[in-house]
């Protein structure tokens, strides 16, 4: 199996697995940070000692977590669809985030659907898209030179084989 096909197949498997993870976290009936309340409150109290209001610190932590949540799937989408169709990844991220937030709003009364989550998730998808494009760019640039040399060698070989003076 060629390397590109193996990378794409691996990315598809990883995306399916990560999508299940996103669905479980996004559709969990209660806030996912609830089991970590004690530790989270200790961190927030420690930050208060540095002059950071706990509500502000929590907002930053939650926003950052939502950004990070969508980096990996966007990177995987780019690896699947390729560099030319990179734009699909942030759109999938935006639509996936909207779907999760709508489901939370309609189906999960203990969860809070927010526009900030959609913004953070989409930002994460944009970052993941950039990572995926860079990964494919580096790979393509690294493979281009050997491929050109192989094509050039084949061309010289054919030219020598057809040259009537070489007989």
């Amino acid at each position: 199996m060629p390397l590109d096909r193996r990378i794409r197949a691996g990315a598809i498997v990883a995306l399916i697995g990560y999508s299940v993870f996103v669905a479980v976290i996004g559709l969990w009936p209660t806030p996912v940070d609830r089991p970590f309340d004690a530790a989270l409150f200790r961190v927030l109290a420690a930050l208060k000692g540095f002059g950071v209001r706990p509500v502000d610190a929590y907002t930053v932590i939650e926003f950052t977590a939502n950004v990070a949540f969508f980096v990996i799937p966007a990177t995987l989408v780019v690896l699947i669809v390729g560099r030319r169709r990179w734009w699909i990844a942030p759109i999938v991220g935006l639509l996936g985030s909207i779907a999760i937030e709508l489901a939370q709003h309609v189906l999960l009364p203990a969860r809070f659907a927010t526009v900030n989550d959609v913004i953070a998730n989409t930002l994460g998808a944009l970052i993941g898209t950039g990572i995926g494009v860079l990964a494919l760019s580096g790979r393509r640039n690294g493979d281009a030179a050997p491929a050109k040399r192989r094509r050039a060698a084949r061309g010289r070989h054919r030219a020598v084989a057809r040259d009537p003076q070489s007989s």
Side-chain angles (χ1 to χ4, degrees):
M1 181 183 287
L3 184 59
D4 287 345
R5 191 176 281 166
R6 280 185 285 173
I7 289 171
R8 185 172 285 128
I12 290 169
V13 169
L15 183 61
I16 291 168
Y18 198 85
S19 296
V20 170
F21 172 70
V22 168
V24 167
I25 296 295
L27 301 176
W28 198 256
T30 59
V32 292
D33 59 358
R34 189 169 285 166
F36 305 102
D37 277 351
L40 186 57
F41 287 132
R42 282 195 302 274
V43 170
L44 296 176
L47 290 173
K48 186 176 183 181
F50 293 103
V52 178
R53 293 182 354 184
V55 69
D56 294 336
Y58 181 82
T59 301
V60 170
I61 291 168
E62 181 187 27
F63 189 85
T64 304
N66 276 309
V67 169
F69 198 45
F70 272 63
V71 171
I72 293 172
T75 302
L76 294 171
V77 168
V78 172
L79 293 177
I80 293 165
V81 301
R83 230 172 38 160
R84 287 192 194 129
R85 294 190 199 108
W86 65 266
W87 51 269
I88 293 173
I91 292 172
V92 167
L94 171 66
L95 295 177
S97 181
I98 290 171
I100 288 170
E101 295 301 313
L102 284 175
Q104 287 178 353
H105 179 71
V106 173
L107 303 173
L108 304 168
R111 297 293 298 267
F112 307 100
T114 68
V115 173
N116 275 351
D117 286 358
V118 174
I119 292 168
N121 294 153
T122 304
L123 178 59
L126 287 167
I127 292 168
T129 298
I131 292 169
V133 168
L134 285 173
L136 292 178
S137 295
R139 188 173 142 34
R140 187 172 180 109
N141 289 342
D143 287 350
K148 285 181 183 177
R149 284 194 295 272
R150 284 193 301 273
R151 283 193 298 272
R154 279 194 301 253
R156 283 193 303 270
H157 176 71
R158 288 183 190 138
V160 169
R162 286 188 226 135
D163 187 5
Q165 295 177 354
S166 65
S167 311

